[in-house]
Amino acid sequence: MLDGYLPLLLQGATVTIVVASSALLTAFAVGALATWGMLAGPRFLQAFIRSYTTVARGVPELVLILLIYYGLPQLLQGAIRSVGWTDFTLNLAPFAAGVVTLGLIYGAFMSEVLRGAYLAVPQGQLEAARAVGMPPLRITRRITVRLMMPICLASLGNIWMVIVKATALMSAIQLEDLMRKATLAANATRKPFSMFLAAAAIYLAITLISLVIQRMIEQRLNRGKVSGNGI
Amino acid sequence: MGFEGITQFLDMLPSAIMRTVALTIVASVIGFACAVLLLTLGRRYRLWSAFATAYSIFFRGTPLLVQLFLIYFGAGQFRDALSTAGLWTLFREPWFCALLGLSLNTGAYGYEVLRGALSNVPRGQIEAARAIGMTQRQIAWRIEAPIMIRLCLQGYVNEFVFLFQATSLVSLLTIRDITGVARAAAARSYQFYEVYLAAACVYLAFVIVIVQIGRHLERRLSAHMAAPKPSLLARL
């Protein structure tokens, strides 16, 4: 049915998951920095982060990927060559370009989620911790972060699914992910429908497994939580 | 920073913008129609509800690119069957495939938005309407629809923005939309970052305008829920 191309597709799926995971971590780091800047930074930094968020959500991913993969090396090459190093060539690996682009775009979404979660931490608990004499870092570790996690988990799961689907665009810059392997297989076997349907099924499997894992984490995090009018 | 690339890009831009806008609007209208159809049918018939769920899971759980490639390139595998049915001339056109893929995709997301809006309609109003003897159709038109419009506006504006940006994928189907002409201009002039930067600015400009329109609409629709302005009489 798949003419023996399944192993190749699964290879691509592995690359997809690796790229998506790296992009998620990058997005988390970028988002955390952006949230910190928004909440605790000077005015001009807040304005900069706000415009960064607007750009990340207003420009299509494909355009940003092409811009960073083809445009960034050209820009840096031009700049460095003009100061004398005339032989300088720069080639971005598709993996790096993909992870950086997705990380930057979804870092903006992340920062919105993290900001909402941070502002939703009940102030009473922070006051109690301070009254008891907890040092600030311990408060952050034990209370703020612990309370933020279940709040932002659902949105984080959402962003993960969106990132997994966005990695399909990396095939446009020749990253050997699932989409690219499927295209190769489709061209080789002249059966594009079967190959892309298989790719779709694999993406669906990744999505559904991610949903299951998300549910499990949610239940684990909500252990011991009193709902309603708990004492 | 060279300008030949940008000049070429700007030359081809007006028709590209029209193509992008046309794709966005037509796809969102067809998608909306699909979503409403699925919602109405799904409420009544169990089978349609299952189909709607499967449709939603497929089109939201797989990348748009896969869906587009599946339709455009995948149709080639069934060329004979499609020719016999007289549909091959449709399916070999990138425009048709792009429109079909985008419509189905945005229809799935729109279906979820509508479903969420429907479940947020206050139960009491529906019960009251049933108590005074309104038929299901009257309830749908007179009670649920007006409330749902306001509830799903934010979600739909978001989806419209996503759809507008998603049209950039049709450039991979050889359609000369904004991204398509950007790639052409960049490849011809070797000025990648200038042209792609210009393309990014074009998209950004449109998105900012769309978001502003959405906010304006939301303010107009929620006017009856806004805080009352202090009237002159209150000061006397």
Side-chain angles (χ1 to χ4, degrees), chain A residues 168-169 171-172 179-180 182-184 186-187 192-197 199, chain B residues 63-76 97-98 101 169-174:
Chain A
L169 295 177
S171 63
M179 194 63 194
R180 180 127 176 93
T183 318
L184 282 170
N187 288 336
F193 191 81
S194 316
M195 292 303 157
F196 288 124
L197 195 64
Chain B
L64 175 60
L65 194 61
V66 175
Q67 297 158 19
L68 288 176
F69 277 21
L70 198 57
I71 298 179
Y72 181 57
F73 293 116
C97 299
L169 265 69
V170 305
S171 67
L172 298 174
L173 256 55
T174 73

PDB file of all heavy atoms in Angstrom, chain A residues 168-169 171-172 179-180 182-184 186-187 192-197 199, chain B residues 63-76 97-98 101 169-174:
ATOM      1  N   ALA A 168       5.360  21.418   9.265  1.00  0.00           N
ATOM      2  CA  ALA A 168       5.176  20.955   7.890  1.00  0.00           C
ATOM      3  C   ALA A 168       5.683  21.995   6.902  1.00  0.00           C
ATOM      4  O   ALA A 168       6.103  21.654   5.785  1.00  0.00           O
ATOM      5  CB  ALA A 168       3.703  20.658   7.634  1.00  0.00           C
ATOM      6  N   LEU A 169       5.654  23.268   7.307  1.00  0.00           N
ATOM      7  CA  LEU A 169       6.128  24.318   6.411  1.00  0.00           C
ATOM      8  C   LEU A 169       7.635  24.252   6.201  1.00  0.00           C
ATOM      9  O   LEU A 169       8.157  24.812   5.242  1.00  0.00           O
ATOM     10  CB  LEU A 169       5.763  25.691   6.972  1.00  0.00           C
ATOM     11  CG  LEU A 169       4.278  25.983   7.042  1.00  0.00           C
ATOM     12  CD1 LEU A 169       4.048  27.326   7.674  1.00  0.00           C
ATOM     13  CD2 LEU A 169       3.690  25.958   5.657  1.00  0.00           C
ATOM     14  N   SER A 171       9.256  21.962   5.212  1.00  0.00           N
ATOM     15  CA  SER A 171       9.601  21.241   4.000  1.00  0.00           C
ATOM     16  C   SER A 171       9.916  22.217   2.870  1.00  0.00           C
ATOM     17  O   SER A 171      10.627  21.875   1.930  1.00  0.00           O
ATOM     18  CB  SER A 171       8.459  20.310   3.597  1.00  0.00           C
ATOM     19  OG  SER A 171       7.305  21.052   3.302  1.00  0.00           O
ATOM     20  N   ALA A 172       9.395  23.448   2.980  1.00  0.00           N
ATOM     21  CA  ALA A 172       9.660  24.445   1.948  1.00  0.00           C
ATOM     22  C   ALA A 172      11.121  24.873   1.943  1.00  0.00           C
ATOM     23  O   ALA A 172      11.611  25.404   0.950  1.00  0.00           O
ATOM     24  CB  ALA A 172       8.769  25.671   2.142  1.00  0.00           C
ATOM     25  N   MET A 179       6.732  15.890   6.073  1.00  0.00           N
ATOM     26  CA  MET A 179       6.128  16.418   4.852  1.00  0.00           C
ATOM     27  C   MET A 179       7.062  16.225   3.671  1.00  0.00           C
ATOM     28  O   MET A 179       6.649  15.856   2.576  1.00  0.00           O
ATOM     29  CB  MET A 179       5.845  17.906   5.064  1.00  0.00           C
ATOM     30  CG  MET A 179       4.951  18.499   4.044  1.00  0.00           C
ATOM     31  SD  MET A 179       3.346  17.719   4.110  1.00  0.00           S
ATOM     32  CE  MET A 179       2.694  18.305   2.583  1.00  0.00           C
ATOM     33  N   ARG A 180       8.340  16.483   3.890  1.00  0.00           N
ATOM     34  CA  ARG A 180       9.301  16.386   2.806  1.00  0.00           C
ATOM     35  C   ARG A 180       9.474  14.941   2.373  1.00  0.00           C
ATOM     36  O   ARG A 180       9.537  14.634   1.181  1.00  0.00           O
ATOM     37  CB  ARG A 180      10.635  16.952   3.257  1.00  0.00           C
ATOM     38  CG  ARG A 180      11.681  16.891   2.206  1.00  0.00           C
ATOM     39  CD  ARG A 180      12.312  18.250   1.980  1.00  0.00           C
ATOM     40  NE  ARG A 180      13.391  18.086   1.020  1.00  0.00           N
ATOM     41  CZ  ARG A 180      13.235  18.246  -0.289  1.00  0.00           C
ATOM     42  NH1 ARG A 180      12.063  18.611  -0.758  1.00  0.00           N
ATOM     43  NH2 ARG A 180      14.226  18.032  -1.100  1.00  0.00           N
ATOM     44  N   ALA A 182       7.248  12.670   2.666  1.00  0.00           N
ATOM     45  CA  ALA A 182       6.031  12.283   1.968  1.00  0.00           C
ATOM     46  C   ALA A 182       6.066  12.778   0.525  1.00  0.00           C
ATOM     47  O   ALA A 182       5.641  12.076  -0.398  1.00  0.00           O
ATOM     48  CB  ALA A 182       4.805  12.845   2.697  1.00  0.00           C
ATOM     49  N   THR A 183       6.573  14.004   0.323  1.00  0.00           N
ATOM     50  CA  THR A 183       6.674  14.537  -1.039  1.00  0.00           C
ATOM     51  C   THR A 183       7.622  13.687  -1.871  1.00  0.00           C
ATOM     52  O   THR A 183       7.346  13.343  -3.022  1.00  0.00           O
ATOM     53  CB  THR A 183       7.174  15.991  -1.004  1.00  0.00           C
ATOM     54  OG1 THR A 183       6.529  16.687   0.033  1.00  0.00           O
ATOM     55  CG2 THR A 183       6.912  16.671  -2.319  1.00  0.00           C
ATOM     56  N   LEU A 184       8.778  13.314  -1.269  1.00  0.00           N
ATOM     57  CA  LEU A 184       9.733  12.468  -1.974  1.00  0.00           C
ATOM     58  C   LEU A 184       9.090  11.145  -2.360  1.00  0.00           C
ATOM     59  O   LEU A 184       9.199  10.684  -3.504  1.00  0.00           O
ATOM     60  CB  LEU A 184      10.939  12.195  -1.066  1.00  0.00           C
ATOM     61  CG  LEU A 184      11.965  13.317  -0.946  1.00  0.00           C
ATOM     62  CD1 LEU A 184      12.956  13.002   0.154  1.00  0.00           C
ATOM     63  CD2 LEU A 184      12.690  13.479  -2.255  1.00  0.00           C
ATOM     64  N   ALA A 186       5.932  10.503  -2.640  1.00  0.00           N
ATOM     65  CA  ALA A 186       4.870  10.715  -3.624  1.00  0.00           C
ATOM     66  C   ALA A 186       5.460  10.813  -5.028  1.00  0.00           C
ATOM     67  O   ALA A 186       4.916  10.262  -5.984  1.00  0.00           O
ATOM     68  CB  ALA A 186       4.093  11.979  -3.286  1.00  0.00           C
ATOM     69  N   ASN A 187       6.580  11.526  -5.153  1.00  0.00           N
ATOM     70  CA  ASN A 187       7.188  11.664  -6.474  1.00  0.00           C
ATOM     71  C   ASN A 187       7.755  10.341  -6.957  1.00  0.00           C
ATOM     72  O   ASN A 187       7.716  10.029  -8.143  1.00  0.00           O
ATOM     73  CB  ASN A 187       8.295  12.710  -6.433  1.00  0.00           C
ATOM     74  CG  ASN A 187       7.727  14.108  -6.297  1.00  0.00           C
ATOM     75  OD1 ASN A 187       6.585  14.345  -6.663  1.00  0.00           O
ATOM     76  ND2 ASN A 187       8.502  15.020  -5.747  1.00  0.00           N
ATOM     77  N   PRO A 192       0.651  10.200  -5.004  1.00  0.00           N
ATOM     78  CA  PRO A 192       0.667  11.300  -4.033  1.00  0.00           C
ATOM     79  C   PRO A 192      -0.448  11.208  -3.004  1.00  0.00           C
ATOM     80  O   PRO A 192      -0.245  11.535  -1.829  1.00  0.00           O
ATOM     81  CB  PRO A 192       0.522  12.549  -4.908  1.00  0.00           C
ATOM     82  CG  PRO A 192      -0.007  12.071  -6.203  1.00  0.00           C
ATOM     83  CD  PRO A 192       0.461  10.675  -6.380  1.00  0.00           C
ATOM     84  N   PHE A 193      -1.623  10.755  -3.431  1.00  0.00           N
ATOM     85  CA  PHE A 193      -2.738  10.713  -2.487  1.00  0.00           C
ATOM     86  C   PHE A 193      -2.427   9.761  -1.334  1.00  0.00           C
ATOM     87  O   PHE A 193      -2.609  10.102  -0.170  1.00  0.00           O
ATOM     88  CB  PHE A 193      -4.022  10.289  -3.199  1.00  0.00           C
ATOM     89  CG  PHE A 193      -5.245  10.467  -2.361  1.00  0.00           C
ATOM     90  CD1 PHE A 193      -5.846  11.710  -2.250  1.00  0.00           C
ATOM     91  CD2 PHE A 193      -5.798   9.402  -1.662  1.00  0.00           C
ATOM     92  CE1 PHE A 193      -6.959  11.892  -1.468  1.00  0.00           C
ATOM     93  CE2 PHE A 193      -6.912   9.586  -0.866  1.00  0.00           C
ATOM     94  CZ  PHE A 193      -7.498  10.823  -0.776  1.00  0.00           C
ATOM     95  N   SER A 194      -1.964   8.547  -1.660  1.00  0.00           N
ATOM     96  CA  SER A 194      -1.672   7.575  -0.617  1.00  0.00           C
ATOM     97  C   SER A 194      -0.616   8.102   0.332  1.00  0.00           C
ATOM     98  O   SER A 194      -0.738   7.981   1.552  1.00  0.00           O
ATOM     99  CB  SER A 194      -1.192   6.263  -1.235  1.00  0.00           C
ATOM    100  OG  SER A 194      -1.980   5.915  -2.322  1.00  0.00           O
ATOM    101  N   MET A 195       0.438   8.695  -0.247  1.00  0.00           N
ATOM    102  CA  MET A 195       1.545   9.148   0.599  1.00  0.00           C
ATOM    103  C   MET A 195       1.119  10.292   1.498  1.00  0.00           C
ATOM    104  O   MET A 195       1.431  10.305   2.700  1.00  0.00           O
ATOM    105  CB  MET A 195       2.725   9.583  -0.270  1.00  0.00           C
ATOM    106  CG  MET A 195       3.376   8.432  -0.991  1.00  0.00           C
ATOM    107  SD  MET A 195       3.925   7.191   0.189  1.00  0.00           S
ATOM    108  CE  MET A 195       3.971   5.750  -0.845  1.00  0.00           C
ATOM    109  N   PHE A 196       0.412  11.286   0.941  1.00  0.00           N
ATOM    110  CA  PHE A 196       0.008  12.412   1.779  1.00  0.00           C
ATOM    111  C   PHE A 196      -1.061  12.010   2.773  1.00  0.00           C
ATOM    112  O   PHE A 196      -1.149  12.556   3.873  1.00  0.00           O
ATOM    113  CB  PHE A 196      -0.464  13.583   0.916  1.00  0.00           C
ATOM    114  CG  PHE A 196       0.659  14.270   0.208  1.00  0.00           C
ATOM    115  CD1 PHE A 196       0.656  14.415  -1.169  1.00  0.00           C
ATOM    116  CD2 PHE A 196       1.740  14.756   0.911  1.00  0.00           C
ATOM    117  CE1 PHE A 196       1.701  15.033  -1.819  1.00  0.00           C
ATOM    118  CE2 PHE A 196       2.798  15.373   0.267  1.00  0.00           C
ATOM    119  CZ  PHE A 196       2.783  15.505  -1.101  1.00  0.00           C
ATOM    120  N   LEU A 197      -1.895  11.026   2.404  1.00  0.00           N
ATOM    121  CA  LEU A 197      -2.874  10.538   3.359  1.00  0.00           C
ATOM    122  C   LEU A 197      -2.172   9.858   4.519  1.00  0.00           C
ATOM    123  O   LEU A 197      -2.538  10.022   5.680  1.00  0.00           O
ATOM    124  CB  LEU A 197      -3.847   9.574   2.676  1.00  0.00           C
ATOM    125  CG  LEU A 197      -5.111   9.268   3.469  1.00  0.00           C
ATOM    126  CD1 LEU A 197      -5.920  10.549   3.618  1.00  0.00           C
ATOM    127  CD2 LEU A 197      -5.937   8.203   2.783  1.00  0.00           C
ATOM    128  N   ALA A 199       0.837  10.549   5.521  1.00  0.00           N
ATOM    129  CA  ALA A 199       1.423  11.629   6.325  1.00  0.00           C
ATOM    130  C   ALA A 199       0.366  12.251   7.225  1.00  0.00           C
ATOM    131  O   ALA A 199       0.613  12.518   8.405  1.00  0.00           O
ATOM    132  CB  ALA A 199       2.038  12.687   5.398  1.00  0.00           C
TER     133      ALA A 199
ATOM    134  N   PRO B  63      -1.803  19.344   9.319  1.00  0.00           N
ATOM    135  CA  PRO B  63      -1.384  20.652   8.820  1.00  0.00           C
ATOM    136  C   PRO B  63      -2.136  21.041   7.563  1.00  0.00           C
ATOM    137  O   PRO B  63      -2.490  20.183   6.740  1.00  0.00           O
ATOM    138  CB  PRO B  63       0.106  20.456   8.524  1.00  0.00           C
ATOM    139  CG  PRO B  63       0.518  19.229   9.242  1.00  0.00           C
ATOM    140  CD  PRO B  63      -0.689  18.379   9.336  1.00  0.00           C
ATOM    141  N   LEU B  64      -2.362  22.337   7.384  1.00  0.00           N
ATOM    142  CA  LEU B  64      -3.053  22.823   6.189  1.00  0.00           C
ATOM    143  C   LEU B  64      -2.290  22.430   4.935  1.00  0.00           C
ATOM    144  O   LEU B  64      -2.877  22.102   3.907  1.00  0.00           O
ATOM    145  CB  LEU B  64      -3.195  24.346   6.263  1.00  0.00           C
ATOM    146  CG  LEU B  64      -3.794  25.033   5.043  1.00  0.00           C
ATOM    147  CD1 LEU B  64      -5.199  24.528   4.776  1.00  0.00           C
ATOM    148  CD2 LEU B  64      -3.799  26.529   5.234  1.00  0.00           C
ATOM    149  N   LEU B  65      -0.950  22.430   5.035  1.00  0.00           N
ATOM    150  CA  LEU B  65      -0.145  22.104   3.870  1.00  0.00           C
ATOM    151  C   LEU B  65      -0.438  20.687   3.381  1.00  0.00           C
ATOM    152  O   LEU B  65      -0.553  20.438   2.180  1.00  0.00           O
ATOM    153  CB  LEU B  65       1.341  22.248   4.214  1.00  0.00           C
ATOM    154  CG  LEU B  65       2.275  22.265   3.013  1.00  0.00           C
ATOM    155  CD1 LEU B  65       1.962  23.435   2.114  1.00  0.00           C
ATOM    156  CD2 LEU B  65       3.722  22.333   3.462  1.00  0.00           C
ATOM    157  N   VAL B  66      -0.560  19.760   4.345  1.00  0.00           N
ATOM    158  CA  VAL B  66      -0.878  18.377   3.970  1.00  0.00           C
ATOM    159  C   VAL B  66      -2.222  18.328   3.266  1.00  0.00           C
ATOM    160  O   VAL B  66      -2.397  17.640   2.254  1.00  0.00           O
ATOM    161  CB  VAL B  66      -0.893  17.474   5.226  1.00  0.00           C
ATOM    162  CG1 VAL B  66      -1.344  16.081   4.870  1.00  0.00           C
ATOM    163  CG2 VAL B  66       0.470  17.440   5.864  1.00  0.00           C
ATOM    164  N   GLN B  67      -3.205  19.082   3.800  1.00  0.00           N
ATOM    165  CA  GLN B  67      -4.536  19.070   3.187  1.00  0.00           C
ATOM    166  C   GLN B  67      -4.475  19.598   1.760  1.00  0.00           C
ATOM    167  O   GLN B  67      -5.052  19.028   0.832  1.00  0.00           O
ATOM    168  CB  GLN B  67      -5.498  19.902   4.034  1.00  0.00           C
ATOM    169  CG  GLN B  67      -5.698  19.329   5.416  1.00  0.00           C
ATOM    170  CD  GLN B  67      -6.181  20.371   6.399  1.00  0.00           C
ATOM    171  OE1 GLN B  67      -6.688  21.418   5.996  1.00  0.00           O
ATOM    172  NE2 GLN B  67      -6.032  20.106   7.672  1.00  0.00           N
ATOM    173  N   LEU B  68      -3.746  20.720   1.573  1.00  0.00           N
ATOM    174  CA  LEU B  68      -3.649  21.298   0.231  1.00  0.00           C
ATOM    175  C   LEU B  68      -2.949  20.347  -0.739  1.00  0.00           C
ATOM    176  O   LEU B  68      -3.402  20.140  -1.858  1.00  0.00           O
ATOM    177  CB  LEU B  68      -2.894  22.625   0.286  1.00  0.00           C
ATOM    178  CG  LEU B  68      -3.644  23.789   0.925  1.00  0.00           C
ATOM    179  CD1 LEU B  68      -2.757  25.011   1.008  1.00  0.00           C
ATOM    180  CD2 LEU B  68      -4.899  24.114   0.138  1.00  0.00           C
ATOM    181  N   PHE B  69      -1.809  19.771  -0.285  1.00  0.00           N
ATOM    182  CA  PHE B  69      -1.088  18.839  -1.152  1.00  0.00           C
ATOM    183  C   PHE B  69      -1.937  17.614  -1.441  1.00  0.00           C
ATOM    184  O   PHE B  69      -1.909  17.087  -2.551  1.00  0.00           O
ATOM    185  CB  PHE B  69       0.230  18.423  -0.484  1.00  0.00           C
ATOM    186  CG  PHE B  69       1.343  19.400  -0.701  1.00  0.00           C
ATOM    187  CD1 PHE B  69       1.071  20.707  -1.047  1.00  0.00           C
ATOM    188  CD2 PHE B  69       2.659  19.018  -0.546  1.00  0.00           C
ATOM    189  CE1 PHE B  69       2.096  21.623  -1.238  1.00  0.00           C
ATOM    190  CE2 PHE B  69       3.691  19.922  -0.741  1.00  0.00           C
ATOM    191  CZ  PHE B  69       3.413  21.226  -1.085  1.00  0.00           C
ATOM    192  N   LEU B  70      -2.678  17.161  -0.434  1.00  0.00           N
ATOM    193  CA  LEU B  70      -3.522  15.979  -0.609  1.00  0.00           C
ATOM    194  C   LEU B  70      -4.512  16.208  -1.747  1.00  0.00           C
ATOM    195  O   LEU B  70      -4.732  15.350  -2.596  1.00  0.00           O
ATOM    196  CB  LEU B  70      -4.265  15.701   0.697  1.00  0.00           C
ATOM    197  CG  LEU B  70      -4.874  14.328   0.918  1.00  0.00           C
ATOM    198  CD1 LEU B  70      -3.814  13.272   0.799  1.00  0.00           C
ATOM    199  CD2 LEU B  70      -5.524  14.274   2.286  1.00  0.00           C
ATOM    200  N   ILE B  71      -5.123  17.415  -1.760  1.00  0.00           N
ATOM    201  CA  ILE B  71      -6.124  17.705  -2.784  1.00  0.00           C
ATOM    202  C   ILE B  71      -5.459  17.952  -4.133  1.00  0.00           C
ATOM    203  O   ILE B  71      -5.840  17.370  -5.145  1.00  0.00           O
ATOM    204  CB  ILE B  71      -6.973  18.922  -2.371  1.00  0.00           C
ATOM    205  CG1 ILE B  71      -7.732  18.626  -1.080  1.00  0.00           C
ATOM    206  CG2 ILE B  71      -7.937  19.309  -3.473  1.00  0.00           C
ATOM    207  CD1 ILE B  71      -8.564  19.780  -0.595  1.00  0.00           C
ATOM    208  N   TYR B  72      -4.444  18.831  -4.153  1.00  0.00           N
ATOM    209  CA  TYR B  72      -3.881  19.247  -5.431  1.00  0.00           C
ATOM    210  C   TYR B  72      -3.061  18.143  -6.071  1.00  0.00           C
ATOM    211  O   TYR B  72      -3.300  17.740  -7.207  1.00  0.00           O
ATOM    212  CB  TYR B  72      -3.022  20.499  -5.228  1.00  0.00           C
ATOM    213  CG  TYR B  72      -2.409  21.044  -6.493  1.00  0.00           C
ATOM    214  CD1 TYR B  72      -3.206  21.392  -7.573  1.00  0.00           C
ATOM    215  CD2 TYR B  72      -1.041  21.227  -6.609  1.00  0.00           C
ATOM    216  CE1 TYR B  72      -2.650  21.904  -8.733  1.00  0.00           C
ATOM    217  CE2 TYR B  72      -0.478  21.737  -7.762  1.00  0.00           C
ATOM    218  CZ  TYR B  72      -1.283  22.071  -8.825  1.00  0.00           C
ATOM    219  OH  TYR B  72      -0.730  22.569  -9.955  1.00  0.00           O
ATOM    220  N   PHE B  73      -2.049  17.628  -5.345  1.00  0.00           N
ATOM    221  CA  PHE B  73      -1.208  16.591  -5.924  1.00  0.00           C
ATOM    222  C   PHE B  73      -1.895  15.238  -5.856  1.00  0.00           C
ATOM    223  O   PHE B  73      -1.713  14.401  -6.730  1.00  0.00           O
ATOM    224  CB  PHE B  73       0.133  16.522  -5.177  1.00  0.00           C
ATOM    225  CG  PHE B  73       0.971  17.743  -5.363  1.00  0.00           C
ATOM    226  CD1 PHE B  73       1.282  18.561  -4.288  1.00  0.00           C
ATOM    227  CD2 PHE B  73       1.442  18.084  -6.619  1.00  0.00           C
ATOM    228  CE1 PHE B  73       2.053  19.698  -4.463  1.00  0.00           C
ATOM    229  CE2 PHE B  73       2.205  19.217  -6.801  1.00  0.00           C
ATOM    230  CZ  PHE B  73       2.511  20.026  -5.723  1.00  0.00           C
ATOM    231  N   GLY B  74      -2.682  15.024  -4.808  1.00  0.00           N
ATOM    232  CA  GLY B  74      -3.325  13.735  -4.629  1.00  0.00           C
ATOM    233  C   GLY B  74      -4.336  13.441  -5.716  1.00  0.00           C
ATOM    234  O   GLY B  74      -4.546  12.285  -6.079  1.00  0.00           O
ATOM    235  N   ALA B  75      -4.978  14.490  -6.240  1.00  0.00           N
ATOM    236  CA  ALA B  75      -5.973  14.271  -7.285  1.00  0.00           C
ATOM    237  C   ALA B  75      -5.350  13.607  -8.492  1.00  0.00           C
ATOM    238  O   ALA B  75      -6.026  12.883  -9.232  1.00  0.00           O
ATOM    239  CB  ALA B  75      -6.629  15.592  -7.671  1.00  0.00           C
ATOM    240  N   GLY B  76      -4.058  13.842  -8.692  1.00  0.00           N
ATOM    241  CA  GLY B  76      -3.405  13.254  -9.854  1.00  0.00           C
ATOM    242  C   GLY B  76      -3.426  11.740  -9.831  1.00  0.00           C
ATOM    243  O   GLY B  76      -3.391  11.088 -10.875  1.00  0.00           O
ATOM    244  N   CYS B  97      -8.246  23.739  -6.131  1.00  0.00           N
ATOM    245  CA  CYS B  97      -7.732  22.939  -5.023  1.00  0.00           C
ATOM    246  C   CYS B  97      -7.438  23.817  -3.808  1.00  0.00           C
ATOM    247  O   CYS B  97      -7.749  23.452  -2.671  1.00  0.00           O
ATOM    248  CB  CYS B  97      -6.468  22.194  -5.450  1.00  0.00           C
ATOM    249  SG  CYS B  97      -6.747  21.065  -6.811  1.00  0.00           S
ATOM    250  N   ALA B  98      -6.832  24.994  -4.083  1.00  0.00           N
ATOM    251  CA  ALA B  98      -6.521  25.898  -2.975  1.00  0.00           C
ATOM    252  C   ALA B  98      -7.800  26.339  -2.275  1.00  0.00           C
ATOM    253  O   ALA B  98      -7.899  26.316  -1.043  1.00  0.00           O
ATOM    254  CB  ALA B  98      -5.752  27.116  -3.489  1.00  0.00           C
ATOM    255  N   GLY B 101      -9.341  23.401  -0.303  1.00  0.00           N
ATOM    256  CA  GLY B 101      -8.586  23.095   0.906  1.00  0.00           C
ATOM    257  C   GLY B 101      -8.779  24.159   1.977  1.00  0.00           C
ATOM    258  O   GLY B 101      -9.041  23.859   3.142  1.00  0.00           O
ATOM    259  N   LEU B 169       0.275  29.837   1.970  1.00  0.00           N
ATOM    260  CA  LEU B 169       0.671  28.480   1.584  1.00  0.00           C
ATOM    261  C   LEU B 169       0.337  28.171   0.136  1.00  0.00           C
ATOM    262  O   LEU B 169       0.956  27.296  -0.471  1.00  0.00           O
ATOM    263  CB  LEU B 169      -0.016  27.453   2.490  1.00  0.00           C
ATOM    264  CG  LEU B 169       0.811  26.987   3.674  1.00  0.00           C
ATOM    265  CD1 LEU B 169       0.968  28.113   4.656  1.00  0.00           C
ATOM    266  CD2 LEU B 169       0.141  25.824   4.343  1.00  0.00           C
ATOM    267  N   VAL B 170      -0.659  28.884  -0.436  1.00  0.00           N
ATOM    268  CA  VAL B 170      -1.033  28.541  -1.802  1.00  0.00           C
ATOM    269  C   VAL B 170       0.080  28.904  -2.773  1.00  0.00           C
ATOM    270  O   VAL B 170       0.067  28.477  -3.927  1.00  0.00           O
ATOM    271  CB  VAL B 170      -2.358  29.228  -2.198  1.00  0.00           C
ATOM    272  CG1 VAL B 170      -3.431  28.898  -1.209  1.00  0.00           C
ATOM    273  CG2 VAL B 170      -2.188  30.688  -2.392  1.00  0.00           C
ATOM    274  N   SER B 171       1.063  29.695  -2.302  1.00  0.00           N
ATOM    275  CA  SER B 171       2.194  29.988  -3.173  1.00  0.00           C
ATOM    276  C   SER B 171       2.955  28.713  -3.485  1.00  0.00           C
ATOM    277  O   SER B 171       3.636  28.624  -4.514  1.00  0.00           O
ATOM    278  CB  SER B 171       3.128  31.002  -2.498  1.00  0.00           C
ATOM    279  OG  SER B 171       3.733  30.426  -1.369  1.00  0.00           O
ATOM    280  N   LEU B 172       2.855  27.701  -2.595  1.00  0.00           N
ATOM    281  CA  LEU B 172       3.513  26.426  -2.852  1.00  0.00           C
ATOM    282  C   LEU B 172       2.721  25.592  -3.838  1.00  0.00           C
ATOM    283  O   LEU B 172       3.155  24.522  -4.236  1.00  0.00           O
ATOM    284  CB  LEU B 172       3.702  25.658  -1.540  1.00  0.00           C
ATOM    285  CG  LEU B 172       4.596  26.349  -0.518  1.00  0.00           C
ATOM    286  CD1 LEU B 172       4.599  25.591   0.793  1.00  0.00           C
ATOM    287  CD2 LEU B 172       6.001  26.466  -1.047  1.00  0.00           C
ATOM    288  N   LEU B 173       1.526  26.076  -4.200  1.00  0.00           N
ATOM    289  CA  LEU B 173       0.715  25.411  -5.210  1.00  0.00           C
ATOM    290  C   LEU B 173       0.802  26.175  -6.528  1.00  0.00           C
ATOM    291  O   LEU B 173      -0.066  26.035  -7.387  1.00  0.00           O
ATOM    292  CB  LEU B 173      -0.755  25.367  -4.751  1.00  0.00           C
ATOM    293  CG  LEU B 173      -1.285  24.040  -4.238  1.00  0.00           C
ATOM    294  CD1 LEU B 173      -0.439  23.515  -3.124  1.00  0.00           C
ATOM    295  CD2 LEU B 173      -2.699  24.198  -3.764  1.00  0.00           C
ATOM    296  N   THR B 174       1.821  26.975  -6.664  1.00  0.00           N
ATOM    297  CA  THR B 174       2.099  27.787  -7.854  1.00  0.00           C
ATOM    298  C   THR B 174       1.111  28.922  -8.081  1.00  0.00           C
ATOM    299  O   THR B 174       0.999  29.435  -9.179  1.00  0.00           O
ATOM    300  CB  THR B 174       2.155  26.941  -9.155  1.00  0.00           C
ATOM    301  OG1 THR B 174       0.836  26.535  -9.502  1.00  0.00           O
ATOM    302  CG2 THR B 174       3.041  25.759  -8.979  1.00  0.00           C
TER     303      THR B 174
END
